[in-house]
Amino acid sequence: MTMGNLDAAFAALADPTRRAILARLAKGEATVMQLAKPFAMTQPAISQHLKVLEEAGLIVSRVDGARRPRRLAKSGIEALDQWLGMLRKALEKNYDRLDEMLAAMEPKKKGEAQ
Amino acid sequence: MSKLTLKTEGDTHVVITRRFAAPPEAVYRAHVEPELIQKWMLGPEGWEMPVCLIEARPGGKFRYEWKNAKGQGFHITGELLELRPYSKIVHVERMFLPEQTPDNHVETTFEPDGKGTLMTMRMTLPNAQVRAAMLATGMESGMETSYVRLEGIL
């Protein structure tokens, strides 16, 4: 993924409805009508979210008569791997803090904690 | 030169390892004593853990609540399944964002490693989709700082 696409993917993921759409598509292909149902949103509103997701490279569509069912893009799945790196950064922050705390802890004080 | 490793394993596991300069006893305690947990398990800059309740016994429940200055928050509840001082903790947890996420089964071991400790956390999620969603959620809490970092790169 280029830096521009990565940025678009992060922006697309910042919205809870779009994350929910991705979670739904993780279960399999769905039409706009199927996607709109659980969100109490109009189809144009959902279509707008789908456009953002598509431009971010997270989903793809195909033509099936009058319908255009969406599914997760393979590159979107690969982007999940990139998210690992981000989660890792959040964890590192925790553990760096833990390092500092451990350094400040005196050994052999296990009897103190209640 | 990071000491942390994080990888997926099979369809449903996430395995994290980290080395610490302190002995297993101290690292173990940092995972079961509330006053210690509240000092470090805070995620990105700007978050606090005002509530940290833990019944440190097998079968005991725990609850962690996080808040930031904007008033945003989320919490985790869980149960401790096994506690083996100072070598192993097995627990189940789920997040509330506020919608509840599926259970994450976590086995954490603390092994002596020279003068320090090798900690290994093995998480098991119900299926591959849930694992992907969990990893995405984990990123979400780091999103703000990630954006800052990206701005630094671009």
Side-chain angles (χ1 to χ4, degrees):
Chain A
M1 255 184 163
T2 67
M3 195 55 74
N5 282 345
L6 192 57
D7 203 30
F10 286 142
L13 288 164
D15 181 88
T17 302
R18 289 197 288 268
R19 287 198 300 276
I21 289 171
L22 288 180
R24 165 63 187 84
L25 291 176
K27 295 181 196 162
E29 195 175 74
T31 62
V32 179
M33 201 184 291
Q34 288 168 327
L35 289 169
K37 218 171 203 172
F39 297 111
M41 288 177 85
T42 62
Q43 287 189 29
I46 290 293
S47 291
Q48 184 56 37
H49 282 307
L50 292 175
K51 185 168 173 251
V52 174
L53 288 168
E54 196 158 352
E55 284 172 1
L58 294 170
I59 65 170
V60 290
S61 60
R62 66 182 177 87
V63 177
D64 177 20
R67 309 181 318 150
R68 286 185 65 206
R70 282 11 184 245
R71 62 186 154 79
L72 285 188
K74 192 169 178 293
S75 62
I77 299 304
E78 281 161 5
L80 287 177
D81 287 335
Q82 305 219 16
W83 295 355
L84 275 175
M86 294 297 172
L87 175 58
R88 182 194 163 108
K89 290 229 159 71
L91 282 171
E92 273 170 353
K93 195 137 214 164
N94 271 356
Y95 292 136
D96 287 348
R97 246 185 239 119
L98 178 52
D99 277 338
E100 284 174 29
M101 191 189 84
L102 290 167
M105 272 168 78
E106 288 176 45
K108 304 289 176 200
K109 280 199 174 176
K110 64 186 169 191
E112 278 186 4
Q114 293 303 311
Chain B
M1 283 300 290
S2 172
K3 290 175 276 188
L4 181 89
T5 71
L6 188 155
K7 59 185 170 93
T8 56
E9 193 182 280
D11 283 340
T12 60
H13 303 289
V14 176
V15 180
I16 294 162
T17 69
R18 177 67 152 76
R19 285 183 159 72
F20 296 97
E25 180 183 328
V27 184
Y28 177 96
R29 285 180 50 202
H31 282 78
V32 293
E33 296 180 18
E35 62 274 25
L36 298 180
I37 292 170
Q38 281 175 299
K39 284 183 187 164
W40 68 270
M41 206 184 282
L42 303 174
E45 216 63 62
W47 287 83
E48 288 183 15
M49 192 198 281
V51 176
C52 182
L53 303 170
I54 179 164
E55 301 170 335
R57 56 174 173 78
K61 295 181 194 306
F62 63 88
R63 179 185 176 95
Y64 305 152
E65 295 182 17
W66 286 270
K67 290 239 165 14
N68 69 9
K70 291 182 206 160
Q72 298 168 312
F74 63 97
H75 69 274
I76 281 179
T77 68
E79 293 82 45
L80 295 165
L81 306 178
E82 188 183 339
L83 282 174
R84 197 186 299 165
Y86 300 100
S87 61
K88 190 178 182 184
I89 300 169
V90 182
H91 76 271
V92 178
E93 66 178 39
R94 77 283 312 172
M95 295 177 83
F96 294 81
L97 299 163
E99 68 275 21
Q100 183 174 346
T101 65
D103 281 7
N104 182 9
H105 182 278
V106 187
E107 195 174 300
T108 310
T109 59
F110 307 88
E111 299 168 70
D113 177 49
K115 286 182 180 174
T117 302
L118 169 64
M119 185 190 79
T120 305
M121 280 180 96
R122 188 180 161 85
M123 303 179 180
T124 307
L125 287 309
N127 55 54
Q129 285 73 30
V130 169
R131 181 180 66 182
M134 187 209 73
L135 293 172
T137 303
M139 193 200 75
E140 191 178 335
S141 57
M143 182 90 76
E144 222 169 294
T145 44
S146 302
Y147 270 124
V148 171
R149 242 175 243 117
L150 275 175
E151 279 168 21
I153 294 166
L154 296 171

